Amino acid sequence: MFRHSYEDMLVMEQALRASDLNWTIIRAPWLRDTRPTGKYRTMKNGHLSDPSKISRADLADYIVKHLIDQNTFKARVEISY
């Protein structure tokens, strides 16, 4: 079922990079239905060590707080606890 999902993700990211849009790619690990903590790690254009999980609420918190953050435009952000 997910055989080509990583390849598809790379194609999507390449299409974004080729565009003139102000995009941000956010890579999240296992999404959980748990309470928000407000405490999570992020890494811009790099890889987090041992990404494991994050609540949907904390992911949403990050997205809302960074919608117009020009420091994340044209960047890939990893997020996890």
Side-chain angles (χ1 to χ4, degrees):
M1 181 171 155
F2 299 108
R3 191 170 95 208
H4 300 289
S5 61
Y6 190 75
E7 291 171 14
D8 291 343
M9 179 186 68
L10 294 177
V11 169
M12 179 265 315
E13 289 181 4
Q14 289 171 349
L16 283 173
R17 285 187 181 99
S19 77
D20 292 330
L21 301 171
N22 286 330
W23 50 265
T24 303
I25 297 168
I26 302 173
R27 290 188 179 171
W30 184 20
L31 297 177
R32 308 287 293 150
D33 290 324
T34 55
R35 293 185 163 277
T37 66
K39 298 177 183 177
Y40 41 80
R41 301 176 297 139
T42 61
M43 174 75 70
K44 186 174 89 171
N45 295 323
H47 297 289
L48 287 172
S49 61
D50 195 28
S52 58
K53 61 188 173 186
I54 192 164
S55 73
R56 286 174 169 83
D58 279 329
L59 177 59
D61 177 71
Y62 178 84
I63 291 170
V64 169
K65 287 180 177 174
H66 292 86
L67 279 174
I68 58 173
D69 179 0
Q70 294 182 11
N71 292 319
T72 63
F73 289 175
K74 300 192 183 306
R76 187 190 73 244
V77 177
E78 290 190 2
I79 184 169
S80 184
Y81 291 132

